Amino acid sequence: MNYQRLDPDKKDILIVDDLADNLRVLSSLLTREGYKVRKALNWQMALIACQTVLPDLILLDIMMPEIDGYEVCKRFKSWDLTADIPVIFISALDDVFDKVKAFKIGGVDYITKPFEVQEVLARVQNQLALRAAQQEILNLNIELEQRVKQRTGELEKTLQKLQSEIISRQQLQKKLLDIALHDSLTGLPNRALFIRRLEKALNHAKQEYNYQFAVLFLDCDRFKVINDSLGHLVGDELLIAIAHRLQTCLISGQTLARLGGDEFAILLENITNINLAIQVAERILQQLTLTFKLTRYEVFMNASIGISWGNKDYDRPEYLLRDADTAMYRAKALGRARYHVFDPAMYQEALQLLDLENDLRRAVERQEFLVYYQPIISLSTGRISGFEALLRWQHPSRGLVSPTEFISVAEETGLINTINIWVLQSACHQLRVLQRHSLISQSLTISVNLSARLFLQPNLVAQIDQIINETKINAANLELEITESVIMENINTVSSILQQLRQRQIKLVMDDFGTGYSSLSYLHNFPLNALKIDKSFVKRMQENQNNMGLVPAMISIADSMGMATIAEGVETQEQLVQLRSLNCNFAQGYLFSQPLEPKLALEMLTTTPQW
Ligand code: C2E
Ligand code: MG
Ligand code: MG
């Protein structure tokens, strides 16, 4: 059924009254005013009228037989379609009209018979206007709701877009942060992230009395040898393998980071005592004794570990790492492949080391270095065959400082290059001075120690050539002392440099033989003229009267390879006798002379002593 109104402009009024007269009067009155009026004599007719077209207003008589106005009104109000149609009651003046009841069941107004024309019209118009206004509001509400719905939909879409953009930005940011805080080779946290975690642990310790933690600083021993000899790709592969191996020594919640190069750090949080940190260090050292099986090589790689014990008194996380680093250096100095626990005295030493570094720089500028000369005795003639040039530092406040106290620092800082070349120059110059002396043999040699660092300089040979030219010495009188580390740390380049030196008749001496890598295999591959037996073996020779320790074996090895032997640190007559009996070629030590300043070295030579 269609309840659309027929003429939308004409308001439709339904009059329900059992009296035909009433109907007529009202109908003509309203029709005149331009309303469309329909009439019903009872409920049934009224219902049919509404089912055909919904009226805009109902005028309803109260007094009707069978179903009275109240009941009809109730029925209209209970039916959805008609519930909103305003109902105006019609009552005769003498009717018993219950207004309260009329309003209660939904009537909006009433008119009384006989009809007062103006009043009826006013009340009808009023109700129609009210209803129109209500409908307008309803329509506006619907429209508003639709707009809100549409706008909400748009907003929701925009919101979704924004949210997904935020998420993708967050993901990107997280990725960037990840990159910034991780090491690209191993995927481990890097120094920045490690410091953050360390800072957190430190703050935790400052707040919670019982909270304790430790830092391990790990540096691979001689990693450079792998890089130099097998190449960086193998070095990288090894670093990844080391990272994995270290991870297996840790449990979750313990942070392993790569600080750079071959350095790693570990943060052990919430541990109850230092022994737990030591146990971790021991486990790592144990694990590192197993070989690393790389794609093409099997290699060994051990490490030195420094441990610092976290404590709330540290101002900055970096200081904790620094102390673990200092302890690690101590572990290296004590022989590598071990751990060392930091103690505050070490910090003082580290500071002194820094002082030393600064002093050393100044010393280079102010030329505070001297060269002393220690005679080397030929055991066949018993006479001085040459001198070893030994560096001394004339420190403005500390006096004469031994090279053992500053050579390693000079090497670390790179100052050794300048210093060592200067020693070579002075020594060659000194040789020239000595050789001018008529009493002195032209075969007198001068030995100069060369640091491993020098072999990294691309122009080492050219520099040596230049010094030989300038000082006009015979290259055959020059001996260069190198240690095993020169070979091990520069395996790629050193062979060709040594060959070039040999072509110039310069003699090459392996210094401190037996104290380093103790690998005999390299001896064959390098053009060495002599082995210098370290003073520690000479010293032990006396302790082992029967077999004289390793010295006989060393001499025979040198012999078999056509090399001469020089014994270092000879202090007693007995040692001299023993060395002679073993056919050692040369000797050097306090028995003959301390290292001397140049003037005294010349004096000694000219007195031609003999042993
Ligand atoms: P080295 O080359 O093995 O030098 C021998 C060291 O033993 C010297 O110490 C010398 O004074 C000392 N010595 C000599 N005779 C005896 C002895 O009978 N008993 C004992 N106990 N020691 C003796 P020095 O002069 O303190 O030099 C120490 C090290 O410093 C040298 O060991 C060398 O490795 C390094 N060095 C010295 N001068 C230079 C240099 O000009 N350049 C480089 N790169 N290193 C140098
Ligand atoms: Mg030496
Ligand atoms: Mg030596």
Side-chain angles (χ1 to χ4, degrees), residues 385-418:
S385 65
F387 287 92
E388 178 174 4
L390 292 162
L391 179 62
R392 297 291 178 267
W393 179 7
Q394 184 66 59
H395 192 282
S397 58
R398 290 166 62 191
L400 213 56
V401 182
S402 151
T404 50
E405 288 187 44
F406 63 86
I407 286 281
S408 62
V409 177
E411 282 183 330
E412 273 171 34
T413 52
L415 288 169
I416 191 69
N417 290 333
T418 318

mmCIF file of all heavy atoms in Angstrom, residues 385-418:
data_model
loop_
_atom_site.group_PDB
_atom_site.id
_atom_site.type_symbol
_atom_site.label_atom_id
_atom_site.label_comp_id
_atom_site.label_asym_id
_atom_site.label_seq_id
_atom_site.Cartn_x
_atom_site.Cartn_y
_atom_site.Cartn_z
ATOM 1 N N SER A 385 133.937 -6.838 17.382
ATOM 2 C CA SER A 385 133.717 -6.898 15.935
ATOM 3 C C SER A 385 132.710 -5.843 15.486
ATOM 4 O O SER A 385 132.591 -5.548 14.305
ATOM 5 C CB SER A 385 133.222 -8.284 15.544
ATOM 6 O OG SER A 385 131.949 -8.506 16.125
ATOM 7 N N GLY A 386 131.947 -5.339 16.449
ATOM 8 C CA GLY A 386 130.966 -4.316 16.072
ATOM 9 C C GLY A 386 130.250 -3.788 17.300
ATOM 10 O O GLY A 386 130.589 -4.137 18.437
ATOM 11 N N PHE A 387 129.234 -2.959 17.049
ATOM 12 C CA PHE A 387 128.447 -2.402 18.145
ATOM 13 C C PHE A 387 126.958 -2.532 17.815
ATOM 14 O O PHE A 387 126.575 -2.444 16.653
ATOM 15 C CB PHE A 387 128.761 -0.909 18.339
ATOM 16 C CG PHE A 387 130.095 -0.647 18.964
ATOM 17 C CD1 PHE A 387 131.235 -0.444 18.165
ATOM 18 C CD2 PHE A 387 130.229 -0.591 20.352
ATOM 19 C CE1 PHE A 387 132.461 -0.194 18.738
ATOM 20 C CE2 PHE A 387 131.469 -0.332 20.923
ATOM 21 C CZ PHE A 387 132.587 -0.136 20.121
ATOM 22 N N GLU A 388 126.179 -2.689 18.886
ATOM 23 C CA GLU A 388 124.731 -2.584 18.680
ATOM 24 C C GLU A 388 124.310 -1.188 19.130
ATOM 25 O O GLU A 388 124.665 -0.740 20.230
ATOM 26 C CB GLU A 388 123.946 -3.627 19.481
ATOM 27 C CG GLU A 388 122.429 -3.436 19.268
ATOM 28 C CD GLU A 388 121.555 -4.511 19.915
ATOM 29 O OE1 GLU A 388 122.090 -5.397 20.611
ATOM 30 O OE2 GLU A 388 120.322 -4.434 19.720
ATOM 31 N N ALA A 389 123.592 -0.506 18.273
ATOM 32 C CA ALA A 389 123.096 0.833 18.618
ATOM 33 C C ALA A 389 121.836 0.675 19.459
ATOM 34 O O ALA A 389 120.897 -0.010 19.054
ATOM 35 C CB ALA A 389 122.771 1.603 17.344
ATOM 36 N N LEU A 390 121.822 1.292 20.648
ATOM 37 C CA LEU A 390 120.661 1.164 21.537
ATOM 38 C C LEU A 390 120.169 2.552 21.939
ATOM 39 O O LEU A 390 120.937 3.404 22.391
ATOM 40 C CB LEU A 390 121.032 0.334 22.774
ATOM 41 C CG LEU A 390 121.303 -1.151 22.462
ATOM 42 C CD1 LEU A 390 122.070 -1.810 23.584
ATOM 43 C CD2 LEU A 390 119.997 -1.896 22.172
ATOM 44 N N LEU A 391 118.913 2.713 21.762
ATOM 45 C CA LEU A 391 118.293 4.020 21.961
ATOM 46 C C LEU A 391 118.196 4.379 23.442
ATOM 47 O O LEU A 391 117.925 3.519 24.285
ATOM 48 C CB LEU A 391 116.884 3.959 21.356
ATOM 49 C CG LEU A 391 116.011 5.185 21.449
ATOM 50 C CD1 LEU A 391 116.629 6.362 20.701
ATOM 51 C CD2 LEU A 391 114.630 4.864 20.870
ATOM 52 N N ARG A 392 118.410 5.649 23.769
ATOM 53 C CA ARG A 392 118.195 6.160 25.130
ATOM 54 C C ARG A 392 117.435 7.466 25.029
ATOM 55 O O ARG A 392 117.559 8.201 24.047
ATOM 56 C CB ARG A 392 119.536 6.429 25.837
ATOM 57 C CG ARG A 392 120.396 5.197 26.055
ATOM 58 C CD ARG A 392 119.761 4.282 27.099
ATOM 59 N NE ARG A 392 120.524 3.057 27.304
ATOM 60 C CZ ARG A 392 120.289 1.905 26.663
ATOM 61 N NH1 ARG A 392 119.339 1.847 25.736
ATOM 62 N NH2 ARG A 392 120.992 0.826 26.921
ATOM 63 N N TRP A 393 116.676 7.745 26.066
ATOM 64 C CA TRP A 393 115.898 8.998 26.104
ATOM 65 C C TRP A 393 116.406 9.833 27.269
ATOM 66 O O TRP A 393 116.294 9.423 28.417
ATOM 67 C CB TRP A 393 114.418 8.658 26.278
ATOM 68 C CG TRP A 393 113.500 9.844 26.363
ATOM 69 C CD1 TRP A 393 113.792 11.149 26.169
ATOM 70 C CD2 TRP A 393 112.106 9.795 26.679
ATOM 71 N NE1 TRP A 393 112.700 11.928 26.326
ATOM 72 C CE2 TRP A 393 111.627 11.125 26.642
ATOM 73 C CE3 TRP A 393 111.210 8.758 26.977
ATOM 74 C CZ2 TRP A 393 110.302 11.448 26.914
ATOM 75 C CZ3 TRP A 393 109.899 9.079 27.242
ATOM 76 C CH2 TRP A 393 109.448 10.412 27.207
ATOM 77 N N GLN A 394 116.963 10.982 26.922
ATOM 78 C CA GLN A 394 117.456 11.892 27.956
ATOM 79 C C GLN A 394 116.263 12.749 28.402
ATOM 80 O O GLN A 394 116.026 13.822 27.867
ATOM 81 C CB GLN A 394 118.567 12.765 27.360
ATOM 82 C CG GLN A 394 119.251 13.695 28.350
ATOM 83 C CD GLN A 394 120.042 12.918 29.407
ATOM 84 O OE1 GLN A 394 120.946 12.149 29.081
ATOM 85 N NE2 GLN A 394 119.659 13.096 30.674
ATOM 86 N N HIS A 395 115.499 12.212 29.379
ATOM 87 C CA HIS A 395 114.266 12.874 29.817
ATOM 88 C C HIS A 395 114.613 14.060 30.713
ATOM 89 O O HIS A 395 115.464 13.934 31.596
ATOM 90 C CB HIS A 395 113.398 11.867 30.578
ATOM 91 C CG HIS A 395 111.997 12.335 30.818
ATOM 92 N ND1 HIS A 395 111.686 13.225 31.807
ATOM 93 C CD2 HIS A 395 110.829 12.030 30.193
ATOM 94 C CE1 HIS A 395 110.375 13.454 31.782
ATOM 95 N NE2 HIS A 395 109.836 12.742 30.815
ATOM 96 N N PRO A 396 113.976 15.218 30.510
ATOM 97 C CA PRO A 396 114.358 16.419 31.278
ATOM 98 C C PRO A 396 114.251 16.242 32.795
ATOM 99 O O PRO A 396 115.046 16.816 33.533
ATOM 100 C CB PRO A 396 113.389 17.494 30.789
ATOM 101 C CG PRO A 396 112.331 16.779 30.016
ATOM 102 C CD PRO A 396 112.934 15.503 29.534
ATOM 103 N N SER A 397 113.298 15.427 33.270
ATOM 104 C CA SER A 397 113.208 15.256 34.732
ATOM 105 C C SER A 397 113.543 13.845 35.193
ATOM 106 O O SER A 397 114.024 13.630 36.288
ATOM 107 C CB SER A 397 111.804 15.638 35.213
ATOM 108 O OG SER A 397 110.850 14.839 34.551
ATOM 109 N N ARG A 398 113.334 12.856 34.312
ATOM 110 C CA ARG A 398 113.539 11.476 34.761
ATOM 111 C C ARG A 398 114.942 10.961 34.482
ATOM 112 O O ARG A 398 115.292 9.849 34.871
ATOM 113 C CB ARG A 398 112.527 10.552 34.087
ATOM 114 C CG ARG A 398 111.103 10.777 34.585
ATOM 115 C CD ARG A 398 110.087 10.116 33.673
ATOM 116 N NE ARG A 398 110.248 8.670 33.625
ATOM 117 C CZ ARG A 398 109.631 7.878 32.757
ATOM 118 N NH1 ARG A 398 108.825 8.413 31.851
ATOM 119 N NH2 ARG A 398 109.822 6.587 32.771
ATOM 120 N N GLY A 399 115.756 11.741 33.791
ATOM 121 C CA GLY A 399 117.097 11.267 33.466
ATOM 122 C C GLY A 399 117.064 10.315 32.287
ATOM 123 O O GLY A 399 116.154 10.383 31.457
ATOM 124 N N LEU A 400 118.037 9.407 32.253
ATOM 125 C CA LEU A 400 118.156 8.501 31.113
ATOM 126 C C LEU A 400 117.086 7.407 31.189
ATOM 127 O O LEU A 400 117.044 6.650 32.147
ATOM 128 C CB LEU A 400 119.557 7.881 31.132
ATOM 129 C CG LEU A 400 120.176 7.572 29.778
ATOM 130 C CD1 LEU A 400 120.227 8.801 28.878
ATOM 131 C CD2 LEU A 400 121.579 6.999 29.974
ATOM 132 N N VAL A 401 116.236 7.328 30.193
ATOM 133 C CA VAL A 401 115.146 6.352 30.231
ATOM 134 C C VAL A 401 115.440 5.225 29.244
ATOM 135 O O VAL A 401 115.843 5.462 28.103
ATOM 136 C CB VAL A 401 113.801 7.023 29.875
ATOM 137 C CG1 VAL A 401 112.655 6.021 29.967
ATOM 138 C CG2 VAL A 401 113.542 8.219 30.787
ATOM 139 N N SER A 402 115.206 3.982 29.726
ATOM 140 C CA SER A 402 115.486 2.805 28.890
ATOM 141 C C SER A 402 114.401 2.631 27.826
ATOM 142 O O SER A 402 113.231 2.930 28.055
ATOM 143 C CB SER A 402 115.536 1.569 29.787
ATOM 144 O OG SER A 402 115.142 0.437 29.054
ATOM 145 N N PRO A 403 114.781 2.130 26.658
ATOM 146 C CA PRO A 403 113.782 1.950 25.587
ATOM 147 C C PRO A 403 112.654 0.988 25.973
ATOM 148 O O PRO A 403 111.552 1.102 25.453
ATOM 149 C CB PRO A 403 114.591 1.417 24.412
ATOM 150 C CG PRO A 403 115.878 0.946 24.993
ATOM 151 C CD PRO A 403 116.123 1.745 26.227
ATOM 152 N N THR A 404 112.933 0.063 26.886
ATOM 153 C CA THR A 404 111.867 -0.877 27.262
ATOM 154 C C THR A 404 110.665 -0.126 27.839
ATOM 155 O O THR A 404 109.552 -0.610 27.803
ATOM 156 C CB THR A 404 112.356 -1.896 28.315
ATOM 157 O OG1 THR A 404 112.993 -1.149 29.359
ATOM 158 C CG2 THR A 404 113.328 -2.879 27.737
ATOM 159 N N GLU A 405 110.929 1.080 28.364
ATOM 160 C CA GLU A 405 109.836 1.834 28.970
ATOM 161 C C GLU A 405 109.011 2.626 27.974
ATOM 162 O O GLU A 405 107.932 3.076 28.300
ATOM 163 C CB GLU A 405 110.385 2.796 30.036
ATOM 164 C CG GLU A 405 110.860 2.082 31.274
ATOM 165 C CD GLU A 405 111.248 3.045 32.374
ATOM 166 O OE1 GLU A 405 110.494 4.019 32.591
ATOM 167 O OE2 GLU A 405 112.300 2.823 32.987
ATOM 168 N N PHE A 406 109.562 2.845 26.785
ATOM 169 C CA PHE A 406 108.778 3.698 25.874
ATOM 170 C C PHE A 406 108.645 3.184 24.438
ATOM 171 O O PHE A 406 107.854 3.699 23.669
ATOM 172 C CB PHE A 406 109.332 5.136 25.868
ATOM 173 C CG PHE A 406 110.740 5.250 25.347
ATOM 174 C CD1 PHE A 406 110.967 5.380 23.987
ATOM 175 C CD2 PHE A 406 111.835 5.238 26.212
ATOM 176 C CE1 PHE A 406 112.262 5.494 23.490
ATOM 177 C CE2 PHE A 406 113.125 5.345 25.727
ATOM 178 C CZ PHE A 406 113.349 5.476 24.356
ATOM 179 N N ILE A 407 109.405 2.138 24.091
ATOM 180 C CA ILE A 407 109.335 1.662 22.701
ATOM 181 C C ILE A 407 107.910 1.243 22.317
ATOM 182 O O ILE A 407 107.416 1.593 21.247
ATOM 183 C CB ILE A 407 110.311 0.479 22.473
ATOM 184 C CG1 ILE A 407 111.744 0.999 22.411
ATOM 185 C CG2 ILE A 407 109.975 -0.283 21.192
ATOM 186 C CD1 ILE A 407 112.153 1.622 21.107
ATOM 187 N N SER A 408 107.240 0.506 23.216
ATOM 188 C CA SER A 408 105.913 0.010 22.826
ATOM 189 C C SER A 408 104.938 1.169 22.616
ATOM 190 O O SER A 408 104.112 1.134 21.707
ATOM 191 C CB SER A 408 105.384 -0.986 23.853
ATOM 192 O OG SER A 408 105.250 -0.337 25.088
ATOM 193 N N VAL A 409 105.071 2.210 23.466
ATOM 194 C CA VAL A 409 104.197 3.379 23.274
ATOM 195 C C VAL A 409 104.551 4.091 21.970
ATOM 196 O O VAL A 409 103.676 4.502 21.207
ATOM 197 C CB VAL A 409 104.323 4.356 24.469
ATOM 198 C CG1 VAL A 409 103.480 5.595 24.236
ATOM 199 C CG2 VAL A 409 103.904 3.656 25.745
ATOM 200 N N ALA A 410 105.840 4.185 21.714
ATOM 201 C CA ALA A 410 106.271 4.831 20.462
ATOM 202 C C ALA A 410 105.736 4.048 19.265
ATOM 203 O O ALA A 410 105.348 4.626 18.249
ATOM 204 C CB ALA A 410 107.787 4.910 20.417
ATOM 205 N N GLU A 411 105.670 2.730 19.409
ATOM 206 C CA GLU A 411 105.163 1.908 18.304
ATOM 207 C C GLU A 411 103.671 2.117 18.125
ATOM 208 O O GLU A 411 103.181 2.286 17.011
ATOM 209 C CB GLU A 411 105.470 0.436 18.554
ATOM 210 C CG GLU A 411 106.929 0.151 18.230
ATOM 211 C CD GLU A 411 107.323 -1.305 18.379
ATOM 212 O OE1 GLU A 411 106.708 -1.990 19.223
ATOM 213 O OE2 GLU A 411 108.248 -1.718 17.684
ATOM 214 N N GLU A 412 102.954 2.144 19.246
ATOM 215 C CA GLU A 412 101.501 2.318 19.147
ATOM 216 C C GLU A 412 101.139 3.667 18.538
ATOM 217 O O GLU A 412 100.167 3.775 17.808
ATOM 218 C CB GLU A 412 100.862 2.218 20.528
ATOM 219 C CG GLU A 412 100.523 0.789 20.908
ATOM 220 C CD GLU A 412 100.106 0.682 22.347
ATOM 221 O OE1 GLU A 412 99.475 1.635 22.847
ATOM 222 O OE2 GLU A 412 100.429 -0.339 22.979
ATOM 223 N N THR A 413 101.890 4.672 18.887
ATOM 224 C CA THR A 413 101.536 6.007 18.402
ATOM 225 C C THR A 413 102.111 6.299 17.025
ATOM 226 O O THR A 413 101.770 7.300 16.418
ATOM 227 C CB THR A 413 102.070 7.088 19.353
ATOM 228 O OG1 THR A 413 103.471 6.836 19.552
ATOM 229 C CG2 THR A 413 101.380 7.062 20.692
ATOM 230 N N GLY A 414 103.006 5.417 16.568
ATOM 231 C CA GLY A 414 103.591 5.656 15.256
ATOM 232 C C GLY A 414 104.835 6.539 15.323
ATOM 233 O O GLY A 414 105.515 6.733 14.323
ATOM 234 N N LEU A 415 105.124 7.064 16.520
ATOM 235 C CA LEU A 415 106.312 7.916 16.660
ATOM 236 C C LEU A 415 107.589 7.141 16.375
ATOM 237 O O LEU A 415 108.626 7.723 16.056
ATOM 238 C CB LEU A 415 106.382 8.486 18.083
ATOM 239 C CG LEU A 415 105.366 9.575 18.427
ATOM 240 C CD1 LEU A 415 105.359 9.854 19.915
ATOM 241 C CD2 LEU A 415 105.688 10.840 17.646
ATOM 242 N N ILE A 416 107.496 5.826 16.504
ATOM 243 C CA ILE A 416 108.677 4.985 16.330
ATOM 244 C C ILE A 416 109.325 5.200 14.964
ATOM 245 O O ILE A 416 110.547 5.114 14.828
ATOM 246 C CB ILE A 416 108.330 3.485 16.537
ATOM 247 C CG1 ILE A 416 109.596 2.621 16.628
ATOM 248 C CG2 ILE A 416 107.431 2.981 15.440
ATOM 249 C CD1 ILE A 416 110.405 2.827 17.856
ATOM 250 N N ASN A 417 108.511 5.492 13.951
ATOM 251 C CA ASN A 417 109.075 5.658 12.608
ATOM 252 C C ASN A 417 110.153 6.737 12.588
ATOM 253 O O ASN A 417 111.278 6.505 12.153
ATOM 254 C CB ASN A 417 107.973 5.996 11.604
ATOM 255 C CG ASN A 417 107.071 4.801 11.364
ATOM 256 O OD1 ASN A 417 107.504 3.651 11.520
ATOM 257 N ND2 ASN A 417 105.828 5.049 11.020
ATOM 258 N N THR A 418 109.774 7.913 13.058
ATOM 259 C CA THR A 418 110.716 9.028 13.083
ATOM 260 C C THR A 418 111.918 8.694 13.957
ATOM 261 O O THR A 418 113.075 8.924 13.572
ATOM 262 C CB THR A 418 110.021 10.273 13.694
ATOM 263 O OG1 THR A 418 108.716 10.342 13.165
ATOM 264 C CG2 THR A 418 110.781 11.534 13.407
#
